[in-house]
């Protein structure tokens, strides 16, 4: 029988996995946001209108918003326990500026790096 340590990825490996997803979480949303903004200019009302344009888009946008709020609460509680609540603004800014696909792996990468 294998010990749990032999099947658990190393902290360094997980750091790289989180960092890779962080990069992917920047590249993919920025590609599509870039296409949108090049075609329509920077219009927050239009962006929000298109985010809720049909039931599928509304479901995906709602799911993302709810997940983002849960992430903020989770990260806030974790950072407060570490005495670093002031860092929460970084992850909320990443979430609002790029997306949860960037903010969550950024938080996990940062958190993992704090334990190495």
């Amino acid at each position: 029988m294998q010990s749990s340590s032999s099947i658990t990825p190393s902290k360094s490996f997980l750091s790289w996995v989180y960092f890779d997803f962080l990069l992917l979480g920047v590249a993919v949303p920025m590609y599509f946001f870039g296409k949108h903004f090049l075609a329509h200019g920077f219009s927050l009302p239009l962006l929000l209108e298109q985010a809720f344009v049909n039931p599928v888009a509304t479901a995906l946008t709602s799911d993302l918003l709810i997940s983002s709020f849960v992430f903020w609460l989770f990260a806030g509680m974790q950072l407060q326990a570490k005495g670093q609540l002031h860092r929460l603004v970084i992850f909320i800014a990443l979430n609002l500026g790029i997306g949860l696909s960037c903010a969550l792996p950024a938080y996990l990468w940062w958190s993992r790096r704090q334990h190495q």
Side-chain angles (χ1 to χ4, degrees):
M1 185 168 163
Q2 291 182 333
S3 70
S4 63
S5 64
S6 67
I7 59 173
T8 303
S10 71
K11 289 182 180 181
S12 177
F13 175 76
L14 279 176
S15 289
W16 282 107
V17 169
Y18 293 146
F19 189 76
D20 289 345
F21 277 111
L22 186 164
L23 295 177
L24 188 63
V26 170
V28 172
M30 288 292 101
Y31 172 77
F32 289 107
F33 282 136
K35 285 181 71 165
H36 172 81
F37 293 138
L38 285 173
H40 304 287
F42 186 80
S43 169
L44 191 56
L46 179 61
L47 183 70
L48 291 174
E49 178 185 321
Q50 291 187 350
F52 294 96
V53 73
N54 61 47
V56 173
T58 299
L60 291 170
T61 301
S62 299
D63 182 67
L64 180 62
L65 291 172
I66 292 166
S67 299
S68 293
F69 292 134
V70 172
F71 167 64
W72 297 355
L73 289 173
F74 171 78
M77 290 172 49
Q78 296 291 311
L79 290 166
Q80 185 175 30
K82 296 175 185 177
Q84 298 182 349
L85 187 59
H86 63 281
R87 296 186 187 274
L88 182 60
V89 69
I90 296 166
F91 301 107
I92 291 176
L94 287 173
N95 191 179
L96 293 174
I98 300 172
L100 184 60
S101 64
C102 170
L104 179 57
Y107 174 79
L108 294 172
W109 175 78
W110 175 85
S111 182
R112 180 63 63 180
R113 301 289 295 169
Q114 297 299 301
H115 293 103
Q116 288 183 350

